[in-house]
Structure formats: structure tokens, C-alpha cells
Amino acid sequence: ELEINNVGANGEADKKKEDFQNFLDILPILTKEILKDLPSMDIPAQQQQWISRLIDSSVAGGKMNRGLTVVHSLQLLVEGRQLTRSEVFQANVLGWCVEWLQAFFLVADDIMDQSITRRGQPCWYRTRNMLSSEPNATVGSIAINDAFILESCIYILVKKYFRNESYYADLLDLFHETSYQTELGQLLDLTTQPNRGDFSMYSLDTYRRIVKYKTAYYSFYLPVALAMLMAGITSKPAFDTAKDILLPMGEYFQVQDDYLDCYGDPKVIGKIGRDIEENKCTWLVCQAVLNANPEQIVHLKKVYGREAPADVAAVKKIYAEIGIERIFKKYEDESHQMLVEKIKNVKIMPQEVFYKLLSKIYKRNV
Amino acid sequence: ELEINNVGANGEADKKKEDFQNFLDILPILTKEILKDLPSMDIPAQQQQWISRLIDSSVAGGKMNRGLTVVHSLQLLVEGRQLTRSEVFQANVLGWCVEWLQAFFLVADDIMDQSITRRGQPCWYRTRNMLSSEPNATVGSIAINDAFILESCIYILVKKYFRNESYYADLLDLFHETSYQTELGQLLDLTTQPNRGDFSMYSLDTYRRIVKYKTAYYSFYLPVALAMLMAGITSKPAFDTAKDILLPMGEYFQVQDDYLDCYGDPKVIGKIGRDIEENKCTWLVCQAVLNANPEQIVHLKKVYGREAPADVAAVKKIYAEIGIERIFKKYEDESHQMLVEKIKNVKIMPQEVFYKLLSKIYKRNV
Ligand SMILES: [Mg+2]
Ligand SMILES: [Mg+2]
Ligand SMILES: [Mg+2]
Ligand SMILES: [Mg+2]
Ligand SMILES: [Mg+2]
Ligand SMILES: [Mg+2]
């Protein structure tokens, strides 16, 4: 029995690896599709190369969980049969479109946030401008237009592979709506950045609204909804059900992200958290505002959002004093519980779609 | 006869005014449509106001020729009958979507070009950030996300008013393709900005490619193609014919724009030209590179792209010496001739659509 279990587990691990490799293999095909139209449009070789470098350095290199979710969800939605090779390919194309959408937003977000690195590399706008005669020129604000180009790639790809599907217009509507929701999230985020020491905006309500729009729609709802469209689902209540579960799941994911930024192992998460230094409106600081005593709040206002390691340590000390670990564990359990309750009540589509996603993130350390 | 002519002319002028007023009246309706979804999405009043100000200050205020072209073209395409009120309304919605697309590009273009004013007002990114506690904060890089929001408005509006039309997906494809073409034009433009005194990129070939992608597709092809979709035209050759005429017409329009920047009456064109000061790759400087003698070129390289009025005057002196006015008049006549020849051969759709547009711009001084 142990052996069978192991074989099962290995089989699962193999399947996971295969899915992953399958997904990775499609990126160069899609990139080639984008680039191959350019010569006949009379776009010079230099600009073709520009776009090629843009895609290579901003679309690839993420964890690709969002992209892989499309094919995983579709497999669970068709229940009891294997997906055809062509279904797998199409689902992975949509998965890459989600990654492309993310690249569009991240390239722009890094300019707006003046970030330095992304996925361990310099942000695109800070890389060298290979077409400038000045040796030290960076891409700079040209990256704004590059973000637009990344967005356009989504629609080139969806048209190439889905133009004749009955749900083509629904796919376009979904990408448009998700883009708008994410932009509203960015607007909320960018216009809710308080000065250092001003905690008036650090409330859980504000936090949850920002997270829902900025992250949850495109990271959780979009990949599943794309799979639902491919599966032929047209019922509005089914999409509403998916939203009702996936948006809180996205919020839970972002709370974990904030927690890991502070308490995760940098070797495991692949970066050194900087939310405290950057004065970010995180779940942690919102909890501190809720749970700290007046003295602690006064102190926190003095040290939050500063670069000095001693100030960062002082913030973490206050977090420890209010028992942030316990508060987080409680939140994690309650969120998990709430999501399971919601999923249990789903009748309109396979519950497995949601359990699978939840299991991917529950108690994650990366 | 003179009186009849006058009545005719007045009738035409009245019709023109009415079309214009009709078009203007629709903007507040569309803005309200965008804003009315936000409260139920739980977007706070402050961000609703932000979007309202964004639309007011970046979509309105242009000449609106592009937007009006949709309804004018549709009227000529349906031949021999009056448009219904609902057709006029729908055409004007699409016309505003063209204006919205332009606003999306201009908001971003002004950041990338570090422009100071637009349509006589400060550029959006340089206006006050009303949600910042700092009294002197500007919108700044938040305008990048605002450009995205303006783009999203197009798809909200097209969905609201065209979701049930048989050509809905064609509309979306057209907006996507035109956006991509314009982005490629911007990429060409932004990566073809030479250092001062480097004229290696000032060739007519380069100029024409940039203009075609950056301006002609969205300003000339898009509004007519939208009308064609509304008119039920589905034949690819008809759209190819339109492109074959409207892209060179867009080039001709941009050449005029460059000429007027230098020689137009600032009181009539509403701004003071700055192309010489800004080292722009204009049709004029490309002609100078082609027609000036080696001595003049050496001199031009010294004075082009400088702020000093004496340097600008020196550039204009060289332009005069090569007979730029004569070169321009010849180009204008030849372009007009070439476009008329092309239009004469059109059989697949009413030639009037193209004559009308051409007559709007031929020998314009504004
Ligand atoms: Mg950021
Ligand atoms: Mg950000
Ligand atoms: Mg984070
Ligand atoms: Mg500009
Ligand atoms: Mg520009
Ligand atoms: Mg100009």
C-alpha cells in the first residue's frame, strides 16, 4: 500500500512536471507568432528585436501559477475524460495570455512604484536602451508604450487561436473587464498612499477593496473563468459562484503574501521583503492599527516606513507584541474554513476546481 | 442662382453645426455611463471624481474631426436614405470611442515626450493630484494607469451599445488592431529620436513609416472602417481599398501638420509650433536633407534642435533657400492628384466617403 501510494504520488509529481513543461514549451511558439507578423508590416529588424527582448524579459520568469490554472481548471471542468491535445494547447494559450496581462501591468507598475528589481532582474524600464546612441540610456518612459504592446499581444494571440470559437467575444469581454478591474485597483492603490506616519488609510476595509481589484480578479477569477468559457459554460450564476469563492481566495492569497514578505524565508520566497521600509498598506499594519494600544501606535508611526534596520526591527517587535502570528494563524484558519463552506455549497459546477486552487495556496510558504 | 447657392451653403453650414452639436451632446451621456457603474462596484467617491476629471480633461477639447468622421462616412455609405436617430447615435458613440482612443494615447505620449501643454491646458500628468495630502503633488506617473483606464472606457462603451450587433467582434478586432498599429508607430518614433546634429535617421522612408503607424491608422482608417462595419460591409477587399486610400491620406495630413507647425498662423492653428526647437523628424527637415547642398547641411546640423530664436530663424532661412514652399505646394498637388486617381478607381463602395474626407483637409490652414 505504501508503494502504491508512492507510485501515486510520483505519478502526480510526474504529471505536475509534465503540465509545467508543456506550458513552458508554448511560450516560444507564441512569441514567434507575435514576431512573425512584423517583417511583412515593414517594421525594421531593430524594432522587431526590441519587442522580442521585451517579451523575453517581462513575460517569462514568473511562478506561472496563474497561467497553469487555466488548464488545471479545464481538466476538472470536463469531468471524467482526458483533454484533447488541442484543448490542452488552447487552455495553455489562454494561460499565457493571463501571464501577458500580468506582464503588461507589472511593467507599468514598476515605473509607477519606481521599483528597482523584478523577479531578481532589473525592471524593464531600468534596462539598457539598445537603440539609443547614448551608451548609458535606459528604456525609461518608452516602457509605458511597451506595456501597451504587451497588452496588445493578448488580443493578437486570442484572435489567432480563438477567432472561430463561439465564445470569442466572451473571451474578449472577460479580458477587458479584468483589465479594468485591475486598473481600478491600481488607482485605489496609487491614490491611497499616505505620507509616512499617517495611518488614517490603514483600515481593513480599504485594504480588502484594493486587494480585490488589484490582485484577486486577474489572479484568481480570470484563469478559472477562462477555463469555464472553454468548457462551454454560459450560465451567469456559475460565473457569479466562481467570483464569490475566488475573490475571497485572492484576498487570502494577498494576506499570505504580506505575511511572507515579513516572516517568510528569503531563500524560499526568492526576495527580501521590503513592505515595512516602503510604507506599504499591508494586512499586517492594518492589524497593528486594530490591535495595538495607543502607546504602541505612537511608536509604530515613528518607525514604520523607514529604511533603518533598527526601525524595521522596532516594527516587527510591535507586530510580535500584538501577537501577529496568532492573529494570522487564526485568520488563515477562518479563511480556509469560510472558503471550504462556500465550496461545499457549490452545485452548479465541479467543486474540485476550487478545492484544487485552495490546496495550492493553503499554508503555503512560497 | 446666387441666392440659391447661398441657401444651399447655409443649409450645409447649418447641417454641419447640427452634426457637431449632436456629437458634442453625446459626451456627457457616455461619461455618465462610465461613472454610473462605479458606486455599485464599491469604488469610493474620491476615485469616482478622479475618473470624472480624467475624462473631462483628456477626452473633450480636441477638434473632434476623427470622431465626426464616423457619422459622416456612415451617411455616405448608406446612400440615398437618411440615417435613423439610433444609427446616428451609435455612429457618434463609435466616434467618441475614437476620441477616447486618442486620449489614451495622448495622455501617455505627453508623459513620454515630457510635454508641458496639450490643447492649451497643462498635460494631465502635470495637473494637481487632488487626492494627495501634499499640496503641490501632481498626477505624475499615476497618469500611466489613467491612460489604461481611458482605453478600458472604449470597451465599456462598445459593449454597452454594440454587444448584440452581429459585427461586435469585428469592432473589437478593429480597435485592437488599430491600437497595436499606433503602438508600433510610437515605438518607431521613440526609438528613432536621434541626438541633436545626427541626421542619419531623417529620411523620407523612415518618416513615412512612422507617420503611417503612429497617425494614419487611427486618424483616417479607423473612423471610416468603423462606419463600414456599421454599414454591414464585410468584404475584405472593401477594407483593403479603404486602407489603400486612407493611409496615404493620413500621411498627407501629417505633412500638412508639419508644414503648419512652421508656417501656419499661430492664431489659426491655436499653438506656437515647436518642431524645430524639439529636434523633431519632420517632413520639412527630411526635405532639407534631400535638397540642401553640403554647406547648408553642415549649417543646419549646427542650428536644428535648439531653443535660441536666432537658430530657429537660421533653420527657416535654409528651408526658404531650398524653396520649401514650392516643394510643399508640389507635394500637396501631387498627393491630391494621386489620391483623386485612387478614389476614381473605387467601385466597391461610394467614392464620396473618400472625397468628403479629402475635401476636409485639402489646402487646410488649420
Ligand atoms: Mg509595485
Ligand atoms: Mg504598485
Ligand atoms: Mg508583496
Ligand atoms: Mg508628443
Ligand atoms: Mg510622441
Ligand atoms: Mg505637429
Side-chain angles (χ1 to χ4, degrees):
Chain A
E1 221 180 77
L2 201 74
E3 231 175 60
I4 292 169
N5 267 345
N6 279 348
V7 169
N10 279 339
E12 242 172 66
D14 285 355
K15 180 78 176 69
K16 222 175 144 179
K17 227 175 163 177
E18 196 193 312
D19 287 350
F20 191 77
Q21 194 54 51
N22 244 321
F23 186 68
L24 270 183
D25 289 346
I26 287 175
L27 180 57
I29 299 173
L30 301 182
T31 305
K32 222 175 272 169
E33 278 298 320
I34 303 285
L35 297 175
K36 84 158 206 282
D37 294 336
L38 298 175
S40 64
M41 293 170 84
D42 191 31
I43 302 297
Q46 293 195 311
Q47 281 78 17
Q48 294 178 41
Q49 260 171 48
W50 182 285
I51 294 175
S52 172
R53 290 186 63 240
L54 167 66
I55 295 173
D56 286 347
S57 84
S58 58
V59 179
K63 282 179 285 173
M64 292 172 280
N65 278 327
R66 293 168 181 82
L68 273 161
T69 295
V70 182
V71 73
H72 288 160
S73 299
L74 183 61
Q75 179 59 70
L76 295 166
L77 283 169
V78 300
E79 286 178 288
R81 70 163 176 90
Q82 282 269 307
L83 296 176
T84 66
R85 284 174 66 95
S86 134
E87 284 173 324
V88 170
F89 181 83
Q90 278 191 308
N92 281 333
V93 170
L94 292 178
W96 276 112
C97 287
V98 177
E99 297 290 331
W100 237 286
L101 184 75
Q102 169 155 268
F104 153 54
F105 281 118
L106 296 186
V107 163
D109 182 71
D110 285 340
I111 307 171
M112 294 187 281
D113 293 346
Q114 297 190 56
S115 298
I116 307 295
T117 59
R118 163 74 64 188
R119 295 166 180 170
Q121 302 288 118
C123 299
W124 171 250
Y125 82 99
R126 298 185 76 245
T127 62
R128 231 201 101 195
N129 177 341
M130 311 284 271
L131 297 186
S132 170
S133 48
E134 265 185 76
N136 293 321
T138 60
V139 170
S141 70
I142 302 179
I144 299 171
N145 190 62
D146 290 333
F148 299 166
I149 290 177
L150 290 169
E151 182 191 31
S152 282
C153 291
I154 298 166
Y155 300 104
I156 296 171
L157 294 173
V158 173
K159 183 162 183 241
K160 276 191 200 272
Y161 296 105
F162 294 88
R163 187 59 175 93
N164 295 319
E165 305 292 347
S166 58
Y167 54 88
Y168 178 63
D170 297 306
L171 286 178
L172 299 183
D173 288 348
L174 179 57
F175 275 108
H176 292 145
E177 276 158 22
T178 309
S179 301
Y180 186 51
Q181 284 149 344
T182 311
E183 290 151 10
L184 291 175
Q186 287 284 50
L187 177 63
L188 291 170
D189 186 55
L190 291 161
T191 55
T192 315
Q193 284 181 353
N195 294 327
R196 232 196 50 73
D198 173 8
F199 283 10
S200 60
M201 288 150 171
Y202 292 164
S203 80
L204 276 183
D205 270 0
T206 305
Y207 174 83
R208 294 177 61 190
R209 183 164 45 223
I210 295 176
V211 162
K212 170 177 157 184
Y213 281 102
K214 185 172 84 161
T215 303
Y217 274 105
Y218 94 84
S219 304
F220 283 80
Y221 177 66
L222 175 62
V224 174
L226 288 169
M228 290 168 72
L229 288 175
M230 272 197 73
I233 296 173
T234 55
S235 123
K236 173 136 183 351
F239 288 92
D240 289 343
T241 298
K243 224 173 260 176
D244 181 56
I245 295 164
L246 294 166
L247 296 182
M249 203 184 290
E251 181 189 319
Y252 166 56
F253 177 85
Q254 186 59 45
V255 171
Q256 291 177 311
D257 193 80
D258 290 355
Y259 190 80
L260 290 171
D261 189 272
C262 190
Y263 298 108
D265 180 348
K267 272 173 265 161
V268 178
I269 63 172
K271 62 175 176 188
I272 296 158
R274 286 188 42 79
D275 285 352
I276 294 171
E277 286 91 331
E278 289 177 5
N279 203 41
K280 288 274 173 75
C281 174
T282 65
W283 183 84
L284 301 173
V285 78
C286 289
Q287 287 298 341
V289 167
L290 267 182
N291 293 290
N293 64 38
E295 262 170 87
Q296 288 169 319
I297 298 272
V298 169
H299 190 194
L300 190 60
K301 284 186 180 176
K302 283 191 189 137
V303 289
Y304 197 72
R306 292 193 173 277
E307 287 288 341
D311 290 328
V312 175
V315 172
K316 292 197 185 187
K317 185 156 173 278
I318 296 171
Y319 284 174
E321 283 165 10
I322 64 165
I324 195 76
E325 188 179 345
R326 190 188 38 79
I327 300 173
F328 175 70
K329 294 275 179 274
K330 184 157 169 275
Y331 171 84
E332 185 154 50
D333 284 341
E334 282 170 2
S335 295
H336 185 262
Q337 185 65 21
M338 176 265 288
L339 290 168
V340 168
E341 286 305 321
K342 278 182 187 281
I343 298 172
K344 266 191 200 160
N345 287 320
V346 172
K347 291 180 188 68
I348 200 163
M349 57 189 287
Q351 300 179 350
E352 268 306 311
V353 173
F354 305 112
Y355 281 127
K356 166 126 193 168
L357 256 176
L358 182 56
S359 75
K360 279 189 198 177
I361 63 168
Y362 183 51
K363 298 209 164 158
R364 71 191 174 97
N365 67 351
V366 58
Chain B
E1 224 181 75
L2 201 74
E3 234 176 57
I4 293 169
N5 266 344
N6 278 348
V7 170
N10 279 340
E12 241 172 66
D14 285 354
K15 178 79 175 68
K16 222 174 140 179
K17 226 174 163 180
E18 195 193 313
D19 287 349
F20 191 77
Q21 196 53 52
N22 243 320
F23 186 68
L24 270 183
D25 289 346
I26 288 175
L27 181 57
I29 300 173
L30 300 183
T31 304
K32 222 175 273 169
E33 278 298 321
I34 302 285
L35 296 175
K36 83 160 206 281
D37 294 336
L38 297 175
S40 64
M41 293 170 83
D42 191 32
I43 303 297
Q46 293 196 311
Q47 281 78 15
Q48 295 177 41
Q49 260 173 47
W50 182 284
I51 295 175
S52 172
R53 291 186 63 239
L54 166 66
I55 295 172
D56 286 346
S57 85
S58 58
V59 179
K63 282 179 287 176
M64 292 172 280
N65 278 326
R66 294 168 181 83
L68 274 161
T69 294
V70 182
V71 74
H72 288 159
S73 301
L74 183 62
Q75 179 59 70
L76 296 166
L77 284 169
V78 301
E79 286 177 288
R81 68 163 177 90
Q82 282 267 310
L83 296 176
T84 67
R85 286 174 64 95
S86 134
E87 284 172 325
V88 170
F89 181 83
Q90 277 191 311
N92 281 333
V93 171
L94 292 179
W96 276 113
C97 287
V98 178
E99 297 290 332
W100 237 285
L101 185 73
Q102 169 156 267
F104 153 54
F105 281 119
L106 296 186
V107 163
D109 183 71
D110 285 340
I111 307 172
M112 294 188 280
D113 293 346
Q114 298 190 54
S115 298
I116 307 296
T117 59
R118 164 75 63 188
R119 297 166 178 169
Q121 302 289 118
C123 300
W124 171 250
Y125 81 99
R126 299 185 75 245
T127 61
R128 231 202 100 194
N129 178 340
M130 311 284 269
L131 297 186
S132 170
S133 48
E134 265 185 75
N136 292 320
T138 60
V139 170
S141 69
I142 302 179
I144 300 171
N145 190 63
D146 290 333
F148 300 165
I149 290 176
L150 290 170
E151 183 191 30
S152 282
C153 292
I154 299 167
Y155 300 104
I156 296 170
L157 295 172
V158 173
K159 184 164 184 238
K160 278 191 200 272
Y161 296 106
F162 294 88
R163 188 57 175 96
N164 296 319
E165 304 294 346
S166 58
Y167 53 89
Y168 177 63
D170 296 307
L171 286 178
L172 299 184
D173 287 349
L174 179 57
F175 275 107
H176 292 145
E177 275 158 23
T178 309
S179 301
Y180 186 51
Q181 285 149 343
T182 310
E183 290 150 11
L184 291 175
Q186 287 284 50
L187 178 63
L188 291 170
D189 186 54
L190 291 161
T191 55
T192 314
Q193 283 181 354
N195 294 327
R196 230 196 51 73
D198 172 8
F199 283 11
S200 59
M201 287 149 172
Y202 292 165
S203 80
L204 277 182
D205 271 0
T206 306
Y207 174 83
R208 295 177 60 190
R209 184 165 43 224
I210 294 175
V211 162
K212 169 177 157 184
Y213 282 102
K214 186 173 83 163
T215 304
Y217 274 106
Y218 94 83
S219 303
F220 284 79
Y221 177 65
L222 175 63
V224 175
L226 288 170
M228 290 169 71
L229 288 176
M230 271 197 73
I233 297 173
T234 55
S235 123
K236 172 132 179 2
F239 288 93
D240 289 342
T241 297
K243 223 174 261 177
D244 182 56
I245 295 165
L246 295 166
L247 296 183
M249 202 184 291
E251 181 188 319
Y252 167 57
F253 177 86
Q254 185 59 45
V255 171
Q256 292 176 311
D257 192 82
D258 291 355
Y259 190 81
L260 290 171
D261 190 272
C262 190
Y263 298 108
D265 181 349
K267 271 172 266 160
V268 179
I269 62 172
K271 62 175 175 188
I272 296 158
R274 286 188 41 81
D275 285 352
I276 294 171
E277 287 91 332
E278 288 178 4
N279 202 42
K280 288 273 175 74
C281 174
T282 65
W283 182 85
L284 302 172
V285 77
C286 290
Q287 288 298 341
V289 168
L290 267 182
N291 293 291
N293 64 37
E295 262 170 86
Q296 288 170 318
I297 299 273
V298 168
H299 190 193
L300 190 60
K301 283 186 181 176
K302 282 189 190 138
V303 289
Y304 197 73
R306 291 193 175 277
E307 287 288 341
D311 290 328
V312 174
V315 172
K316 292 199 184 185
K317 186 155 173 278
I318 297 171
Y319 285 173
E321 284 164 10
I322 64 166
I324 195 77
E325 188 179 345
R326 188 187 41 78
I327 300 173
F328 174 71
K329 293 276 180 274
K330 185 159 169 273
Y331 170 85
E332 183 154 51
D333 283 342
E334 283 171 1
S335 295
H336 186 262
Q337 185 64 22
M338 177 264 288
L339 290 168
V340 168
E341 286 304 321
K342 278 182 187 281
I343 298 171
K344 267 191 199 159
N345 289 318
V346 172
K347 291 180 187 70
I348 202 163
M349 57 189 286
Q351 299 179 350
E352 269 304 312
V353 174
F354 305 113
Y355 281 127
K356 166 126 194 168
L357 255 176
L358 182 56
S359 75
K360 279 190 199 176
I361 63 169
Y362 184 51
K363 298 209 164 157
R364 70 192 175 96
N365 67 351
V366 59

